[in-house]
Amino acid sequence: VSITYSNTVYVNNVIVRNNVGGSGPSTDGIDIDSSKNVLVENCDVDCNDDNFCLKSGRDSDGLRVNIPTENIVIRNCITGSGHGLITLGSETSGGMNNIEIYGLKAVGTSNGFRLKSAKNRGGVMRNVWVHDVEMRDVENPFSWELNWFPDYSYPNVPESIPKEEWPPHWFAMISPVEPPEKGIPEFHDMRISNVKITGAEQGLFAEAYPEKPIRNIIFEDVSIEAERGGIIKYARDWSMKNVRLDSKE
């Protein structure tokens, strides 16, 4: 389900089964892209990529269009297999604002609350509240990787293919972001509260950029049981209250 360039949308009681037997295509479940005023509730998603995903365009073309994703509520849903319970990105160029996610449950999803972007995406992601969430056997409950999957994020056309054979969208995909610093994504003002996590591999992975660290993050009433703790790199102004991480390593 792909909601794109839309305003005032209600998604209720949708069931997605796109990974039967673990052999489904790499396809998201429910995406909200460059849209506003969207409510998603009571859905059950099991797929082979991000289960619920927010996007807002990519690279220089996304920065040109500049349509944010804002005023979004996702609540009372469940996910099985898939790459993210809820993902922001990697297409972040138009920015995201005023996001509330609650009452979600993930069982066996590879990532939980996932942030991903790249150094040519840009965009500002802010005012995000994730609360009252349960994750069981989720490998990476918090996976915040802002230089995500370089082989995908920074495309190049092989020199062996002459320009006259390029389709039009290839030119847009490789168009550089100018000035380059406009391509650095910015994530700030996010709150995570009342989250319970068991059976994780890594408690928290967060890596941004020294120019724009992930900032103004509040963790409150969060419990994590994981094999290992994790990494926080390029972060600023984080607050943790009643947060417990039980790690074997």
Side-chain angles (χ1 to χ4, degrees):
V1 177
S2 184
I3 300 162
T4 306
Y5 295 166
S6 301
N7 183 3
T8 313
V9 178
Y10 180 45
V11 179
N12 178 41
N13 199 30
V14 170
I15 298 174
V16 176
R17 290 290 179 271
N18 196 40
N19 197 28
V20 177
S23 59
S26 178
T27 308
D28 291 351
I30 298 175
D31 285 355
I32 303 168
D33 190 345
S34 299
S35 299
K36 62 183 179 179
N37 305 321
V38 179
L39 170 60
V40 177
E41 63 180 353
N42 308 317
C43 294
D44 182 342
V45 180
D46 189 303
C47 64
N48 196 24
D49 208 325
D50 295 316
N51 293 283
F52 297 94
C53 189
L54 307 185
K55 305 171 180 286
S56 61
R58 61 177 287 177
D59 305 351
S60 60
D61 192 55
L63 290 165
R64 176 188 63 82
V65 175
N66 193 33
I67 299 178
T69 288
E70 57 187 356
N71 307 331
I72 310 297
V73 174
I74 301 175
R75 66 188 183 192
N76 304 330
C77 298
I78 187 169
T79 65
S81 62
H83 296 180
L85 167 61
I86 174 67
T87 300
L88 276 57
S90 69
E91 295 86 340
T92 61
S93 300
M96 303 176 193
N97 185 37
N98 296 337
I99 314 295
E100 184 177 10
I101 297 149
Y102 67 95
L104 269 61
K105 183 176 181 180
V107 180
T109 312
S110 58
N111 297 282
F113 178 31
R114 189 181 193 193
L115 310 179
K116 57 182 184 179
S117 191
K119 210 169 185 176
N120 55 353
R121 294 282 196 270
V124 177
M125 279 47 67
R126 59 192 177 93
N127 300 332
V128 179
W129 185 21
V130 177
H131 63 99
D132 297 286
V133 171
E134 180 184 350
M135 305 184 203
R136 189 172 76 237
D137 299 329
V138 171
E139 294 177 20
N140 301 289
F142 300 103
S143 179
W144 300 354
E145 190 174 5
L146 303 194
N147 188 27
W148 173 77
F149 197 179
D151 286 349
Y152 170 83
S153 299
Y154 309 110
N156 292 293
V157 179
E159 293 182 0
S160 59
I161 303 176
K163 278 192 175 182
E164 55 268 22
E165 295 182 9
W166 294 9
H169 68 275
W170 284 17
F171 290 91
M173 289 179 68
I174 67 169
S175 177
V177 174
E178 299 291 349
E181 54 268 24
K182 190 177 179 182
I184 302 173
E186 186 174 354
F187 289 76
H188 64 84
D189 292 285
M190 297 189 298
R191 181 182 175 194
I192 297 96
S193 61
N194 195 26
V195 176
K196 183 178 181 181
I197 297 157
T198 57
E201 290 293 323
Q202 180 172 238
L204 170 64
F205 180 90
E207 184 173 7
Y209 299 96
E211 305 96 322
K212 290 184 179 178
I214 299 176
R215 59 186 174 88
N216 298 344
I217 308 299
I218 297 172
F219 282 84
E220 188 172 16
D221 299 320
V222 176
S223 171
I224 305 173
E225 295 178 3
E227 290 292 320
R228 59 188 190 279
I231 296 169
I232 301 173
K233 190 173 183 180
Y234 303 128
R236 193 181 78 208
D237 300 325
W238 286 32
S239 169
M240 294 194 178
K241 180 180 179 182
N242 193 28
V243 174
R244 181 178 179 91
L245 171 61
D246 290 322
S247 171
K248 295 181 180 179
E249 182 178 286

